Amino acid sequence: MTLRATLATASAAALICGLVACGGSPSKPPAAGVDVNVTIANGQVTPTNATLQARVHQQITLHVTSDATDELHVHSVPDHKFQVAAAPNQTFQFSVDVPGNVEVELHHLDRTIATIQVQP
Ligand SMILES: [Cu+2]
């Protein structure tokens, strides 16, 4: 191998390294999941109409404390339904596969807890 060929190989390797992922790559793995605390008491929901950010496939956890039964409905594709009991510290987990705005509703109280803006 000539010196010139050796240098060419080295710079090709450097180029590939720059293109792929030696060091700071923009496609970081998703951060820790999104957690939302929801309280239902005396017919009132906290929060309502919140706006949250998440990424596709990111784990979203709803921590629900309620004094009444209800049905949680996540309007993602496919959607998720969770039965809320009259109990503290219930945990419901899901993730969203399709980017877009996803509403999280309480069907019995007819409230929107949050809209999750799911980024690709
Ligand atoms: Cu719904």
Side-chain angles (χ1 to χ4, degrees):
M1 196 183 264
T2 65
L3 178 60
R4 186 179 290 268
T6 306
L7 286 173
T9 305
S11 60
L15 184 63
I16 289 164
C17 185
L19 286 175
V20 184
C22 300
S25 156
S27 59
K28 286 183 286 189
V34 175
D35 286 84
V36 188
N37 291 312
V38 180
T39 303
I40 304 161
N42 305 313
Q44 302 288 320
V45 185
T46 311
T48 51
N49 302 313
T51 303
L52 304 169
Q53 311 284 330
R55 304 196 73 99
V56 288
H57 309 306
Q58 190 173 17
Q59 191 169 71
I60 299 164
T61 307
L62 303 174
H63 302 274
V64 180
T65 291
S66 181
D67 64 359
T69 58
D70 210 314
E71 184 179 79
L72 251 171
H73 189 197
V74 180
H75 282 240
S76 52
V77 180
D79 68 343
H80 302 278
K81 275 187 183 160
F82 303 107
Q83 298 308 315
V84 176
N89 304 319
Q90 301 165 74
T91 302
F92 306 109
Q93 280 187 334
F94 61 95
S95 62
V96 178
D97 298 340
V98 180
N101 285 353
V102 172
E103 308 223 306
V104 181
E105 295 179 341
L106 273 176
H107 274 188
H108 294 184
L109 284 177
D110 195 21
R111 292 284 186 283
T112 299
I113 295 171
T115 299
I116 307 172
Q117 298 175 339
V118 180
Q119 315 288 334

